[in-house]
Amino acid sequence: MPGEKVTLSVIKADVGGFVGHSAMHPHLPKRARAILAEEKKDGKVADYCVTHCGDDLELILTHRNGEGDEGIHRLAWEVFRSVAETARELALYGAGQDLLKAEFGGSLDGMGPGVAEISFIERKSEPVLVFMADKARRGVWNLPLYKVFADPFNTPGLVIDNYMHEGFEFEILDTQAGKSVRMRTPEESYDLLALAGFSSRFIVKSISKRDGTPAAVSSVSQLSKIAGRYVGHEDPALVVRAQAGLPSVGEILEGFSFPHLVEGWMRGSHIGPLMPVSVAHSTPTRFDGPPRVICLGFQLADGKLSEPRDMFDDISFDTARKAASEAADYIRRHGPFEPHRLADEKMEYSTLPGIISKLAPRMY
Ligand code: 13P
Ligand code: 13P
Ligand code: MG
Ligand code: MG
């Protein structure tokens, strides 16, 4: 019904890679689509789109149940479980990688999958962009989101559009303290940058207009800490609404024209450039990378997704891709040295404690 809120849920998990962590076996999205087609017939979801970014399976769902809905989370969990079964049959790499718990506990928070959900009343025309990353850790959206929503050199609408001129409100999650804060741009830009620039700790969780209209949401949450580690935040997703008092589609995509350096890449333990690519090119192969971002665009209509548009499948992003490849060449030459390699406390793998204890008797 028009006037009723629609919820867009992007729920993602790595349920098995093909080959290694480099891409997605076609049987996996096929299986997910078959299940979701039935769920749509039963009215459990209004619409769905299944895609992949690298080795991550991405479910894009619309429904009327609101955010954090148990039924929608359970449905996504069942899809991932079933697809992980297919991955096991095919002996795919890391089958079931992101399904960390045996039983569904009422919410996907803390279970492994990443979730980005946004609810709104559809405008007369509702362009929405869904960004999905692979081989990238959770802070990856901070820089482009700042550019898109707070930097007039990226987004001229901040200066020339009456409906954007007042600025935006950012919600920042401090992953260390487990607390969030809301900050306004342009007046608090410098304080905001002090936090958002520290992107391994502070994550832009959402952005709204001053009147509360939701504009963007990323797949991080406060609750998903397991044994001191956040889960479901790697290879994150991001939803951004566009146009009519929000940044235009082109202003949003422009935020990705510079392939900034992000944490992730090989073994989740390196820094590399984020390359904007089409879905077909979201195949991180060189040194398991470099990190990729894809974007699907939709025109929602009465809760239904349109056919997706593959937004980075455009020659105007060729120079960004070339710059990313050149940056990859440069940074790779550092081999096992920082800053290409992350600082030891940030690495997913480390041999250092063992090496230090082995060397302890020889230390003086
Ligand atoms: P409209 O005036 O059609 O909204 O287009 C302006 C714009 O957003 C260009 O990016
Ligand atoms: P994923 O997080 O995409 O599965 O990649 C893991 C990895 O180790 C890549 O080298
Ligand atoms: Mg993987
Ligand atoms: Mg991945």
Side-chain angles (χ1 to χ4, degrees):
M1 291 277 282
E4 202 188 334
K5 269 193 183 173
V6 62
T7 302
L8 181 67
S9 300
V10 181
I11 308 184
K12 51 87 40 188
D14 181 336
V15 288
F18 176 66
V19 172
H21 294 282
S22 70
M24 173 77 42
H25 192 288
H27 285 191
L28 273 47
K30 202 170 148 193
R31 175 91 196 105
R33 285 185 195 109
I35 301 169
L36 287 168
E38 292 303 314
E39 302 290 350
K40 186 177 167 181
K41 255 192 242 159
D42 291 349
K44 295 217 183 98
V45 291
D47 209 353
Y48 66 90
C49 171
V50 177
T51 189
H52 73 98
C53 183
D55 62 359
D56 289 275
L57 185 65
E58 314 273 352
L59 313 179
I60 301 166
L61 311 172
T62 54
H63 55 90
R64 304 285 184 183
N65 302 6
E67 295 151 37
D69 179 67
E70 181 171 344
I72 295 293
H73 283 213
R74 180 188 299 278
L75 189 158
W77 178 255
E78 295 303 333
V79 172
F80 291 138
R81 292 248 304 188
S82 172
V83 176
E85 239 356 273
T86 308
R88 279 187 199 100
E89 282 158 28
L90 295 165
L92 297 180
Y93 197 71
Q97 177 177 292
D98 284 350
L99 308 183
L100 303 178
K101 300 214 172 151
E103 294 297 322
F104 180 74
S107 164
L108 285 175
D109 248 340
M111 300 201 65
V115 182
E117 298 187 297
I118 189 167
S119 299
F120 49 83
I121 295 177
E122 252 179 49
R123 298 165 292 170
K124 195 165 66 195
S125 177
E126 188 60 59
V128 177
L129 299 176
V130 179
F131 293 89
M132 295 153 273
D134 188 33
K135 308 298 177 269
R137 295 175 82 173
R138 61 195 181 199
V140 57
W141 310 126
N142 283 18
L143 184 148
L145 283 174
Y146 183 82
K147 282 169 70 179
V148 172
F149 285 92
D151 177 5
F153 281 77
N154 182 91
T155 301
L158 294 165
V159 178
I160 65 175
D161 181 348
N162 275 322
Y163 298 99
M164 273 171 63
H165 195 70
E166 60 181 9
F168 289 93
E169 188 168 277
F170 285 62
E171 182 189 6
I172 311 278
L173 170 66
D174 177 351
T175 57
Q176 208 162 298
K179 290 185 171 173
S180 298
V181 61
R182 292 178 187 276
M183 301 173 84
R184 291 187 157 189
T185 54
E187 56 270 42
E188 294 183 288
S189 297
Y190 295 167
D191 285 356
L192 174 73
L193 282 172
L195 302 190
F198 189 173
S199 54
S200 54
R201 172 170 167 184
F202 296 95
I203 314 293
V204 180
K205 169 157 182 45
S206 69
I207 300 172
S208 53
K209 280 174 75 77
R210 293 296 175 90
D211 64 5
T213 304
V217 68
S218 67
S219 59
V220 292
S221 76
Q222 268 193 28
L223 299 167
S224 47
K225 220 170 177 182
I226 295 183
R229 237 188 114 230
Y230 277 87
V231 299
H233 291 177
E234 314 304 357
D235 301 340
L238 168 73
V239 183
V240 189
R241 299 169 73 201
Q243 305 287 151
L246 296 169
S248 70
V249 167
E251 286 169 335
I252 298 166
L253 295 174
E254 180 67 6
F256 293 83
S257 58
F258 166 60
H260 67 295
L261 295 173
V262 300
E263 294 180 352
W265 207 349
M266 174 57 73
R267 298 172 189 273
S269 303
H270 291 78
I271 280 174
L274 185 69
M275 184 187 269
V277 292
S278 64
V279 176
H281 285 131
S282 68
T283 48
T285 43
R286 178 176 180 192
F287 196 58
D288 285 1
R292 308 290 159 118
V293 56
I294 59 166
C295 176
L296 291 187
F298 299 92
Q299 281 290 158
L300 262 60
D302 195 16
K304 299 276 193 299
L305 295 162
S306 58
E307 282 298 303
R309 273 223 66 224
D310 192 348
M311 305 304 285
F312 289 132
D313 186 11
D314 186 284
I315 55 169
S316 62
F317 281 93
D318 284 352
T319 49
R321 293 188 266 268
K322 186 158 184 286
S325 285
E326 283 166 359
D329 279 341
Y330 171 81
I331 199 159
R332 272 273 50 236
R333 292 178 70 181
H334 295 77
F337 285 80
E338 291 183 73
H340 181 28
R341 200 208 77 167
L342 296 182
D344 198 67
E345 63 276 11
K346 285 188 184 171
M347 301 218 315
E348 284 188 8
Y349 300 66
S350 180
T351 47
L352 197 61
I355 293 172
I356 288 179
S357 54
K358 186 176 71 186
L359 293 176
R362 289 161 53 190
M363 281 188 181
Y364 60 95

